Amino acid sequence: MEPQEANGYSDNGGGDGATTKVMDPARLQDGLTTFYWWFQGVHGYASIVICVFGIVTNLFNVTILMRKDMRTPTNIFLMWLAISDILTMVPYIPFAAHFYCPANITPFSHPERFTYGWIMYMLAMVNFVATTHTVSIWIGVALAAVRFVQMKSTSRGPVAKERRIYQVKVVTLAIYVLSCVVLIPNYMTNKLERVERDNVSFYAMEDIKLATNETKNITIINVVTYAVVAKIIPCILILVFSGSLVYTLTLKGRNRRRRLATSSCSNNSKYSRQATTTRMLLVVIILFIITELPQGILILLSASVPGFYTEVYLSLGDLMDFIALLNNSINFVLYCIMSQQFRLRFAQMYLRRRVRLKAVNSETMTNSEKLILREPFTRTTGAE
């Protein structure tokens, strides 16, 4: 999620370089711009609600997933994903409250909202949020890859588990560090400027003149790097690993279905669980691709097609932000729907209910089924 616009001026999201442009009222006749002004009226309040919900539920995720009995390689990834989502949403609340509430705030109607201090806060938030969101995406990639490797691996037992947990911690640390390094061009591109217009003075993000002859080389590097590294490549990798996992589950299910024709009902129920997992996996993949891939494509078009940024990208900025916030906040709901163990732990810890985890007879289950019952799902990987 990258903040795109703030009532009357725009910054293209930290990821693709910040810019400042005052929207031309004449463009209200355009359909996309009309939608921009309409959605801006509800974006601030809706975003605050989503952020508050997402922060609270992600705190639930962290406290549940860090329990000793929930300690698995997958759950460690999910815990750090929840932390990254929290870090993404926390700074967005004051940003949305200041620049979007009430609606239709512009530098000309409320110049006191566009002071040096608040635009500096926006600059810091743009860089910070671009980094945390990049971390979230790549944790999703790592989770999909590790989950696929687990399904293929024949190594089991406590020693193998501890080795995988150590590897997960190393990969997570590398993702956090490399995300900061890769986005250095982004940090260098975003700057502030003082604007004097129509006898009104205010501060705003510097105009980067995207897709024009005046576009700086570092801006192009920033835009392309963010679109490719933080959007398009992760989506492709998620699709590859998750698609391979779906194929593996489907192939195993097909072979098992032939063998289960004369088997017990318990064996049939095991296949049913795998079939359900596969269907959920498809939903997870679709949600992730719908959220991230269009943003990457739009950013590349903004950098290469003259006028696309001002005529199309800016008008859809608030909508893309809101969809990204939903993506950051929905994991808790998905875990509760898809993981019985997560639901039971949540009831034990926060609803004060006495519940018993159903005993699992590991002697009669396949390795993949143990993993499915053992670990909750996540929308960002399609691997659970």
Side-chain angles (χ1 to χ4, degrees):
M1 182 278 301
E2 312 86 33
Q4 304 290 339
E5 307 163 40
N7 296 359
Y9 73 96
S10 60
D11 72 87
N12 54 335
D16 44 348
T19 185
T20 300
K21 285 184 180 295
V22 176
M23 298 291 287
D24 183 1
R27 290 185 61 225
L28 286 173
Q29 297 178 358
D30 177 77
L32 282 177
T33 308
T34 302
F35 171 79
Y36 159 78
W37 287 108
W38 172 81
F39 190 74
Q40 194 180 78
V42 300
H43 173 72
Y45 301 103
S47 296
I48 292 174
V49 171
I50 290 298
C51 285
V52 171
F53 173 80
I55 291 169
V56 173
T57 54
N58 274 296
L59 287 174
F60 289 153
N61 294 341
V62 172
T63 55
I64 293 172
L65 295 174
M66 69 188 299
R67 285 174 58 102
K68 185 176 181 179
D69 60 321
M70 298 287 285
R71 187 171 177 264
T72 66
T74 298
N75 286 351
I76 290 175
F77 270 139
L78 296 181
M79 183 187 70
W80 284 104
L81 176 63
I83 292 173
S84 179
D85 287 342
I86 291 172
L87 295 176
T88 299
M89 290 182 286
V90 166
Y92 200 88
I93 293 178
F95 167 80
H98 185 79
F99 291 109
Y100 286 90
C101 302
N104 299 322
I105 294 175
T106 70
F108 301 108
S109 63
H110 296 79
E112 72 281 359
R113 297 277 184 128
F114 298 81
T115 62
Y116 177 83
W118 272 106
I119 302 303
M120 181 61 74
Y121 174 81
M122 174 188 289
L123 175 60
M125 186 201 66
V126 162
N127 292 330
F128 184 75
V129 166
T131 305
T132 56
H133 191 57
T134 302
V135 168
S136 295
I137 293 172
W138 279 100
I139 287 179
V141 174
L143 183 53
V146 169
R147 189 73 172 94
F148 175 71
V149 171
Q150 285 180 343
M151 295 293 292
K152 289 288 188 179
S153 176
T154 58
S155 300
R156 296 293 182 266
V159 175
K161 176 182 175 181
E162 290 302 320
R163 183 175 64 250
R164 287 196 295 268
I165 287 176
Y166 173 77
Q167 292 170 348
V168 164
K169 291 179 179 179
V170 172
V171 170
T172 302
L173 177 61
I175 289 173
Y176 271 83
V177 173
L178 291 177
S179 295
C180 297
V181 173
V182 169
L183 290 181
I184 287 177
N186 180 77
Y187 308 148
M188 298 174 62
T189 299
N190 297 335
K191 298 179 181 179
L192 306 185
E193 66 177 355
R194 183 181 177 89
V195 179
E196 299 280 350
R197 192 175 303 173
D198 298 335
N199 297 322
V200 177
S201 175
F202 57 91
Y203 286 90
M205 305 290 284
E206 185 180 58
D207 187 350
I208 59 172
K209 301 177 176 62
L210 198 59
T212 67
N213 293 331
E214 301 178 68
T215 307
K216 298 178 182 178
N217 290 334
I218 192 173
T219 299
I220 296 296
I221 295 174
N222 172 42
V223 172
V224 174
T225 298
Y226 187 77
V228 173
V229 174
K231 302 291 183 181
I232 295 177
I233 290 180
C235 285
I236 293 174
L237 293 176
I238 286 286
L239 187 59
V240 169
F241 285 118
S242 298
S244 299
L245 182 57
V246 170
Y247 175 78
T248 300
L249 291 174
T250 303
L251 186 62
K252 287 183 177 180
R254 188 181 304 148
N255 295 333
R256 183 177 289 109
R257 191 162 53 243
R258 297 192 187 101
R259 298 194 304 266
L260 294 181
T262 58
S263 298
S264 65
C265 293
S266 61
N267 287 333
N268 284 307
S269 66
K270 289 188 291 184
Y271 171 75
S272 177
R273 283 192 295 269
Q274 285 197 332
T276 301
T277 301
T278 302
R279 288 193 294 267
M280 291 295 182
L281 193 56
L282 291 173
V283 175
V284 166
I285 295 171
I286 292 173
L287 286 175
F288 189 86
I289 299 300
I290 288 176
T291 302
E292 302 297 339
L293 187 58
Q295 292 188 30
I297 294 173
L298 288 175
I299 292 172
L300 287 180
L301 290 175
S302 298
S304 57
V305 178
F308 185 88
Y309 173 71
T310 56
E311 298 299 323
V312 178
Y313 188 85
L314 289 185
S315 299
L316 298 175
D318 286 336
L319 178 61
M320 289 189 292
D321 277 356
F322 186 74
I323 293 174
L325 289 172
L326 283 174
N327 196 43
N328 290 135
S329 62
I330 200 174
N331 268 341
F332 174 79
V333 177
L334 295 180
Y335 298 164
C336 287
I337 293 173
M338 300 177 188
S339 173
Q340 182 187 44
Q341 187 184 26
F342 187 89
R343 290 195 303 270
L344 295 176
R345 289 306 181 206
F346 176 73
Q348 285 179 328
M349 293 176 64
Y350 294 103
L351 301 182
R352 303 298 183 183
R353 292 182 179 178
R354 291 181 175 273
V355 293
R356 292 182 60 188
L357 291 175
K358 293 183 179 180
V360 178
N361 186 357
S362 59
E363 298 291 333
T364 61
M365 298 184 63
T366 65
N367 290 328
S368 61
E369 286 162 348
K370 293 176 190 176
L371 288 170
I372 291 169
L373 290 181
R374 180 78 184 140
E375 301 170 355
F377 303 97
T378 174
R379 77 186 187 290
T380 58
T381 67
E384 286 300 314

